[in-house]
Amino acid sequence: MRLQYFASWCVAGAIAVSATSLPADEFDDHVAAIKSVQKEAIGNDAAANAVKALSTLPVTSLTRLLSAFQDASPLASNYLRAATETVVDRQLAAGVKLPTKDLEAFMLDRNQDPRARRLAYETLRRVDDTAEGRLIPGMLLDPGAEFRRDAVRLLIAKATEQAATNKDASIATYQEALKGATEEDQVKDISGALKKLGVTVDLQQHFGFLTNWKVIGPFDNKGLIGFDATYAPEKSIELAAKLTGQSGEVSWGDVTTKDDFGVIDIAKSLSPYKGAVMYLTTNFVSDRDRTVELRLGTPNAWKVWVNGQLLFGRDEYHRGMAIDQYRVKAALKSGTNSVLVKLCQNEQTEDWAQRYQLQLRVCDSSGVAIHEAKQTAHASK
């Protein structure tokens, strides 16, 4: 979505200013002022003045502006977008041609900021009606989620047309689209269409959900004491151990799920669970040292550890649940990695407060599933 209203606010009157180049140090100073802006309105005036100055740049400076998005906060990126769009609007109004080859090269450079790459593409499309058809089909596995979504959308449209006349071609196209699909709605559309064509999609495998766990509990969360309490599983994971729980001795047991979206439903498999803490653990075998994302969905308070290191937690209950609701970066080592999740349920009695669930998957930063190096790896190892 273009931020014309934002640009107008920041650079009132800038359209009338002729294009001027800026020395490198002056350009850098303006960018620094924009990147220093804070949510509390600190630095807004300096940032607005910087936008006015940057908005006078010629179109030959577009990729320079786009490169400035690197490491910019969401707020700062809005200022940079305003400056970029004003440069484009002003120069197009003056009949100046955009540097389409430079914009295309920038868009295709995966090392650039995803927001800037997308803006380069949107700018290119304003003057090149062939951009989508030429470029998007090749971006099915692009790290930019919007580009990948566009590529999947085009393939879904193609497969839908093929379905009426060529079943095999339609299946092949849907399966190709599935390679790049990471968002729930598109995956559901593709898997539903394939099912009608006689092909079943393993959604657990596609998303990379972890479905086999060991679980122990309940531990005490009466009065919401459990989130901050340190119970034995946080100190060490000993699957043969018998521990003192909320109401007596507890031990590790198995829990698994066949749910397409990997939902572990503790409320249906274990009791008591109100005012309680449960721990779940599993192993994940990685083929190398790498950084991944753990993406969780849960309506409960939670913490997660990898190899004994606490990564993140959220002490909040019943705010809903969605796939990829929370995203946590994790450093995996080559070989077996332990994953531990602490899941807390409060004591509310309303019908809507009874969900005690978790779904967790392993993927890269673009949402593409990362699977275990050895499919035989299991929580009990």
Side-chain angles (χ1 to χ4, degrees):
M1 181 177 71
R2 302 187 63 241
L3 301 180
Q4 290 177 321
Y5 66 94
F6 189 87
S8 298
W9 173 73
C10 283
V11 291
I15 296 294
V17 180
S18 60
T20 56
S21 296
L22 293 174
D25 56 347
E26 188 175 341
F27 177 90
D28 291 342
D29 287 344
H30 289 314
V31 170
I34 290 173
K35 289 186 175 180
S36 297
V37 71
Q38 299 178 32
K39 290 182 179 179
E40 297 79 9
I42 298 173
N44 278 3
D45 291 342
N49 289 331
V51 170
K52 289 181 182 179
L54 294 175
S55 296
T56 67
L57 289 169
V59 291
T60 52
S61 296
L62 277 176
T63 54
R64 188 182 180 192
L65 259 177
L66 291 166
S67 296
F69 277 71
Q70 205 72 260
D71 301 320
S73 69
L75 182 56
S77 71
N78 281 343
Y79 279 94
L80 289 169
R81 184 181 181 109
T84 305
E85 290 184 341
T86 302
V87 169
V88 173
D89 289 341
R90 176 171 46 77
Q91 296 289 270
L92 286 179
V96 178
K97 292 184 178 180
L98 299 184
T100 54
K101 290 184 178 180
D102 290 344
L103 289 170
E104 184 170 322
F106 187 96
M107 167 203 169
L108 295 174
D109 184 354
R110 295 185 175 187
N111 292 319
Q112 298 293 344
D113 182 272
R115 298 162 298 184
R117 293 179 64 212
R118 186 68 186 187
L119 181 53
Y121 171 63
E122 292 169 2
T123 303
L124 185 64
R125 285 195 65 186
R126 295 179 65 180
V127 295
D128 183 355
D129 292 336
T130 71
E132 180 178 72
R134 285 190 304 105
L135 301 172
I136 294 300
M139 306 183 82
L140 183 64
L141 301 180
D142 194 274
E146 289 181 281
F147 289 132
R148 197 171 57 248
R149 184 176 177 85
D150 284 345
V152 171
R153 171 178 52 80
L154 293 180
L155 285 173
I156 289 175
K158 179 180 178 181
T160 302
E161 287 185 13
Q162 292 172 325
T165 57
N166 191 331
K167 176 181 175 180
D168 290 342
S170 179
I171 290 173
T173 303
Y174 275 125
Q175 290 176 328
E176 181 67 15
L178 193 61
K179 294 178 182 178
T182 61
E183 297 184 24
E184 184 178 6
D185 62 331
Q186 287 189 325
V187 174
K188 283 183 173 179
D189 288 345
I190 295 168
S191 61
L194 284 171
K195 186 174 182 179
K196 291 179 181 179
L197 294 170
V199 178
T200 300
V201 175
D202 185 339
L203 293 176
Q204 288 186 351
Q205 178 76 2
H206 175 78
F207 280 109
F209 286 111
L210 304 186
T211 58
N212 297 304
W213 296 80
K214 291 287 188 178
V215 63
I216 193 169
F219 297 89
D220 192 17
N221 193 33
K222 297 288 179 63
L224 302 180
I225 66 169
F227 185 83
D228 292 325
T230 301
Y231 296 116
E234 297 179 33
K235 300 174 183 177
S236 65
I237 301 172
E238 299 178 23
L239 297 181
K242 295 185 183 300
L243 306 175
T244 300
Q246 187 179 42
S247 304
E249 188 177 84
V250 293
S251 57
W252 291 94
D254 294 313
V255 63
T256 189
T257 180
K258 294 182 179 180
D259 180 80
D260 283 343
F261 292 91
V263 176
I264 301 289
D265 197 332
I266 291 177
K268 289 185 177 179
S269 58
L270 297 171
S271 62
Y273 62 85
K274 297 301 295 181
V277 171
M278 298 289 189
Y279 289 91
L280 299 96
T281 189
T282 191
N283 286 339
F284 187 91
V285 179
S286 178
D287 60 353
R288 64 184 187 276
D289 292 349
R290 67 190 304 173
T291 298
V292 302
E293 283 191 4
L294 301 184
R295 297 193 178 184
L296 299 86
T298 180
N300 307 106
W302 59 275
K303 290 182 180 180
V304 63
W305 293 257
V306 169
N307 296 327
Q309 179 181 359
L310 176 64
L311 301 183
F312 198 74
R314 192 172 184 92
D315 190 10
E316 186 175 8
Y317 296 85
H318 310 310
R319 71 181 300 246
M321 177 177 174
I323 186 173
D324 296 351
Q325 185 175 4
Y326 304 105
R327 303 180 182 188
V328 182
K329 287 187 177 181
L332 300 185
K333 63 184 181 181
S334 178
T336 301
N337 298 266
S338 67
V339 180
L340 177 70
V341 178
K342 180 179 191 174
L343 206 61
C344 307
Q345 174 66 297
N346 64 14
E347 300 169 82
Q348 289 181 240
T349 58
E350 297 90 345
D351 289 344
W352 50 264
Q354 303 312 301
R355 297 175 69 189
Y356 199 10
Q357 298 174 324
L358 169 74
Q359 59 180 183
L360 189 151
R361 71 188 190 102
V362 182
C363 60
D364 64 18
S365 60
S366 69
V368 174
I370 294 175
H371 298 109
E372 289 193 88
K374 299 177 181 178
Q375 292 300 320
T376 56
H378 190 267
S380 62
K381 290 181 66 176

